[in-house]
Amino acid sequence: MSWLETYVRPKIKALVGSPPDIPENLWLKCDNCGQMIFHRDLEANHHVCQHCNHHMRLPIATRLALLFDEGAYETIELPKTPVDPLKFRDVKRYSDRLKESQSKLAAMAAGSGAVGDHRDAIRVAHGKMDGRNAVIAAFDFSFMGGSMGIAVGEGLVAAARLAVLQKAPLIVIPATGGARMQEGILSLMQMPRSIIAVQEVKDAGLPYIVLLTNPTTGGVSASFAMLGDIHIAEPGAVIGFAGRRVIEQTVKENLPEGFQTAEYLLEHGMVDIVAPRSQLKETLVRVISLLTPGAPDAVADLARVEAELEQAGSADLEIPALAAGDDAGAAGGKP
Amino acid sequence: MRNFLDFEQPIADLEGKIEELRHLADTGEVNIADEVSKLQGKVDRLVTQTYAKLTPWQKVQVARHADRPHFSDYVDRLITDYQPLAGDRNFADDHAVLGGLGRFRGQACVVLGHEKGGDTQARIKHNFGMARPEGYRKAQRLMSLAARFNLPVITLVDTPGAYPGVGAEERGQSEAIARSIEGCLQSPTPLVSTVIGEGGSGGAIALAAGDAILMLEHSVYSVISPEGCASILWRSAEQAQTAAEALRLTAQDLQKLGVIDRIVTEPVGGAHRNPEAAIASVGDAIDTALDELTALEPAALKSRRREKFLSMGRDALT
């Protein structure tokens, strides 16, 4: 692709906007069974093929909207990290690859009206799931194959700290080929860094849940992604350490059927649940509410504080922060 | 028979000449002492010059040198009362990761690391230092043992990477590596890691998330092998040399990047030319590192270690 297509065209598109009522592709072909799917059906079915149940890649904004109540969530701005620390160059400069990916994402976001931070392959969002606070860190496969470099690691640290701050569960959704080679050893160091991040969540007694999507491989699967309290995987997702080709070349034999798929990992004891996309949210909500039975539900908490305030007959009391559940009760009792 | 690397050909030629002269001296009455010492001086200068400016790709070759001292050589010379321990208590004993109890300069400790093997038979036995999940689970077991008995942990890293096999995947290669990194990070006692040869990707960091990370001068440590990187990014394994440069995998670059704490100087011409000296230097460096850490309480040690890794990469290479 030339710079005209990758850079100028998206820029122009972002400026003038695509005509909203003429969708480019009304029909999409399932990349598994080859059947045609009408775009509305595809959206209604959360990008799952209605013919073969193949789970196609879900755009990150759609993914987040699917999991949060009423599709409402906020993304946080990610900490600034060094850009291209090694001054890496293969057939192309890494800094150019980054810029291309960033403008591609910006153009896509402008087209869909999505907001958020588009600097790298991770999005950190928070909102309510069944009325409770939740933090989700989701990988964006469309950004350099969702590869994990410093920015992604820093995003995971930020997500973990946000979860601790909000006393909320952390859900991480990898969709990644693994470490970002262009950041060399620093990308490898994201393995311990991301593990430290999720340790902070675990130390705070909060649930850490991994939702494995297609693909979750390499350095990501060999770090935080395999350390969840609960592992949920989407049907058919490829999950593993080494790539298929590398294994084939090493062992020089055909790989077993379904090798490294979510179902295969379930069979081999590496994931807890394989849940179809339509049941993801209810599964997550159920698991989280069972793991945190003592945690006051945010909505109930607000109601309780209000009721206590009313009982105390003091309307002008400041409503204490919801996070401080116990203190709120005490304040309500002693006007 | 010495193994020479490609770039050592001029050195090999000169040493060949010396050998020839010695052979002549043995058979005839020619006095060659002067000639030999002159040639030897030349060899020494050439070795020094060559090793003073090794390219990253040459370092990769040195790091993989067959005669480079391996885990067992270090244990033989640095650890007394060594008691090897075996097995992951789950499935098997992985010979790619060795370890056990012993004394390092009098102090009881747990020592573990990758073993590549010194000859063909040993290399096959140790699977070229490429561990399966059982290797990383053995490592976790030994780290827990160290924690329980308040023993410091010494790890030696020397692996091309984790083994890419069907069984390894089925038994949870990813999970085993992840838990092993977690094991390092949670160690309540000092954990000193030294990259003695090849630090290959996830298989290396599994044993290297320590309080102090040391590297031998000509060892390498990388997210992916130069060959693997070249075949993915350049679509040609022939570009491995270029990839080795781009990846910044030398000890010198990693120190600048703040990923390792200390470079251990190798004897002139690399650890393989004088294993005893290399091993002694590594021993001294481990000793110094442990000395600095032993005073720290478990909680302080853990939070210091977390902070060390969290701060990595926040400052870019200038």
Side-chain angles (χ1 to χ4, degrees):
Chain A
M1 274 202 281
S2 74
W3 65 279
L4 269 173
E5 280 169 80
T6 54
Y7 188 70
V8 177
R9 237 173 78 177
K11 278 266 169 177
I12 294 172
K13 257 198 191 159
L15 279 175
V16 299
S18 331
D21 44 356
I22 312 167
E24 281 179 17
N25 301 304
L26 289 174
W27 290 86
L28 276 114
K29 198 167 141 182
C30 170
D31 46 8
N32 182 50
C33 70
Q35 295 246 45
M36 300 304 284
I37 312 162
F38 190 55
H39 72 107
R40 291 231 172 88
D41 293 340
L42 192 69
E43 275 160 35
N45 212 18
H46 314 300
H47 293 244
V48 176
C49 173
Q50 75 246 47
H51 308 290
C52 72
N53 199 35
H54 174 56
H55 282 56
M56 292 181 222
R57 189 152 291 130
L58 200 56
I60 191 163
T62 320
R63 160 83 65 195
L64 292 171
L66 176 72
L67 296 177
F68 284 112
D69 293 351
E70 279 93 46
Y73 61 89
E74 277 182 54
T75 55
I76 62 163
E77 196 176 323
L78 298 179
K80 280 213 164 27
T81 46
V83 178
D84 191 10
L86 306 189
K87 306 273 173 275
F88 193 97
R89 181 181 192 154
D90 48 84
V91 289
K92 225 184 220 179
R93 275 176 210 280
Y94 172 46
S95 54
D96 289 343
R97 282 186 198 271
L98 277 176
K99 273 182 213 142
E100 270 169 35
S101 294
Q102 279 157 354
S103 50
K104 189 175 89 183
L105 277 201
M108 270 165 52
S112 69
V115 286
D117 193 302
H118 307 301
R119 277 205 308 268
D120 215 291
I122 197 164
R123 203 79 60 86
V124 177
H126 61 110
K128 304 271 186 212
M129 286 178 75
D130 198 33
R132 292 160 184 256
N133 288 338
V135 175
I136 300 182
F139 280 63
D140 192 344
F141 192 81
S142 65
F143 193 103
M144 294 193 72
S147 53
M148 176 166 73
I150 302 169
V152 168
E154 209 60 27
L156 289 167
V157 172
R161 297 201 164 155
L162 183 64
V164 172
L165 201 70
Q166 296 195 349
K167 297 193 170 76
L170 173 67
I171 300 164
V172 182
I173 312 176
T176 171
R180 188 171 298 167
M181 281 175 288
Q182 291 91 343
E183 292 186 18
I185 195 78
L186 293 172
S187 68
L188 189 71
M189 290 305 128
Q190 303 316 310
M191 295 172 71
R193 292 181 95 235
S194 63
I195 291 175
I196 292 167
V198 302
Q199 273 176 351
E200 289 184 2
V201 176
K202 290 178 175 181
D203 287 352
L206 299 163
Y208 162 53
I209 295 165
V210 189
L211 170 52
L212 301 145
T213 70
N214 188 44
T216 301
T217 56
V220 169
S221 82
S223 58
F224 69 90
M226 275 294 146
L227 297 179
D229 292 310
I230 308 279
H231 294 169
I232 303 172
E234 280 202 334
V238 170
I239 306 157
F241 179 66
R244 261 191 98 88
R245 252 188 314 153
V246 177
I247 299 172
E248 272 168 348
Q249 282 164 8
T250 310
V251 301
K252 300 194 169 57
E253 57 185 73
N254 290 333
L255 301 179
E257 187 160 338
F259 185 61
Q260 293 185 324
T261 59
E263 294 76 8
Y264 198 84
L265 266 81
L266 182 71
E267 203 56 40
H268 285 88
M270 300 319 295
V271 302
D272 294 285
I273 304 159
V274 176
R277 207 167 270 166
S278 57
Q279 287 168 26
L280 279 182
K281 184 173 177 184
E282 57 177 270
T283 309
L284 282 165
V285 164
R286 185 185 316 120
V287 164
I288 291 167
S289 77
L290 289 169
L291 288 176
T292 51
D297 174 299
V299 178
D301 203 34
L302 181 63
R304 183 171 58 87
V305 173
E306 278 173 352
E308 278 171 4
L309 286 173
E310 211 168 299
Q311 233 178 10
S314 164
D316 53 38
L317 247 191
E318 229 178 286
I319 295 181
L322 283 179
D326 294 341
D327 297 343
K334 287 181 279 177
Chain B
M1 182 67 210
R2 283 268 282 282
N3 292 305
F4 285 99
L5 299 168
D6 285 351
F7 66 87
E8 291 179 322
Q9 201 49 53
I11 301 168
D13 291 347
L14 278 178
E15 290 201 346
K17 262 185 206 158
I18 295 174
E19 269 310 300
E20 266 173 45
L21 278 177
R22 287 212 170 111
H23 191 69
L24 277 178
D26 283 348
T27 51
E29 302 104 45
V30 221
N31 190 350
I32 45 107
D34 278 3
E35 191 59 22
V36 166
S37 88
K38 237 205 277 176
L39 276 176
Q40 193 57 55
K42 227 171 159 184
V43 168
D44 294 346
R45 277 195 301 280
L46 196 58
V47 170
T48 311
Q49 280 167 11
T50 310
Y51 274 79
K53 48 178 174 51
L54 292 179
T55 67
W57 178 241
Q58 287 169 342
K59 286 198 186 248
V60 171
Q61 291 167 278
V62 174
R64 293 174 181 167
H65 200 293
D67 301 336
R68 201 170 169 82
H70 294 125
F71 176 83
S72 305
D73 303 312
Y74 284 87
V75 169
D76 284 349
R77 291 195 169 82
L78 295 179
I79 308 292
T80 54
D81 285 347
Y82 181 55
Q83 177 56 60
L85 299 173
D88 70 341
R89 300 295 184 273
N90 242 323
F91 184 77
D93 182 38
D94 188 333
H95 302 298
V97 172
L98 300 182
L101 294 164
R103 275 181 208 285
F104 173 72
R105 308 209 166 164
Q107 152 85 58
C109 68
V110 160
V111 57
L112 62 105
H114 308 93
E115 173 61 59
K116 280 187 170 179
D119 55 40
T120 309
Q121 220 178 351
R123 278 193 276 277
I124 291 166
K125 180 184 172 196
H126 297 290
N127 199 29
F128 303 86
M130 292 185 286
R132 298 178 170 90
E134 296 72 44
Y136 305 113
R137 293 193 177 120
K138 187 203 280 182
Q140 291 160 45
R141 226 198 98 216
L142 294 184
M143 288 190 269
S144 311
L145 191 69
R148 204 164 115 63
F149 293 97
N150 197 28
L151 303 173
V153 182
I154 296 170
T155 72
L156 300 176
V157 175
D158 190 15
T159 177
Y163 183 66
V166 176
E169 292 287 321
E170 286 177 343
R171 298 192 302 275
Q173 187 73 296
S174 291
E175 193 263 357
I177 293 172
R179 291 263 176 235
S180 190
I181 300 172
E182 191 182 49
C184 292
L185 291 170
Q186 289 185 329
S187 170
T189 57
L191 195 152
V192 175
S193 305
T194 310
V195 182
I196 55 170
E198 215 179 349
S201 194
I205 186 69
L207 304 190
D211 299 298
I213 305 158
L214 320 175
M215 253 180 106
L216 266 180
E217 189 184 352
H218 304 308
S219 58
V220 295
Y221 189 7
S222 177
V223 66
I224 186 169
S225 72
E227 292 90 339
C229 180
S231 70
I232 298 170
L233 290 181
W234 280 267
R235 297 187 193 286
S236 145
E238 262 113 72
Q239 295 290 326
Q241 209 164 329
T242 321
E245 275 158 38
L247 281 168
R248 310 276 195 145
L249 41 64
T250 67
Q252 293 69 29
D253 273 339
L254 297 193
Q255 192 175 39
K256 279 185 215 151
L257 286 165
V259 169
I260 63 158
D261 300 289
R262 187 172 160 192
I263 296 174
V264 182
T265 311
E266 291 190 26
V268 174
H272 57 283
R273 281 200 164 72
N274 191 348
E276 287 84 2
I279 294 169
S281 303
V282 168
D284 289 345
I286 293 174
D287 199 15
T288 310
L290 280 176
D291 258 2
E292 287 164 10
L293 296 163
T294 34
L296 295 168
E297 290 295 311
L301 204 56
K302 266 162 82 171
S303 76
R304 183 183 172 276
R305 197 183 298 134
R306 280 188 180 190
E307 214 30 66
K308 170 191 176 72
F309 280 94
L310 285 178
S311 65
M312 268 181 204
R314 281 183 177 150
D315 306 310
L317 185 72
T318 46

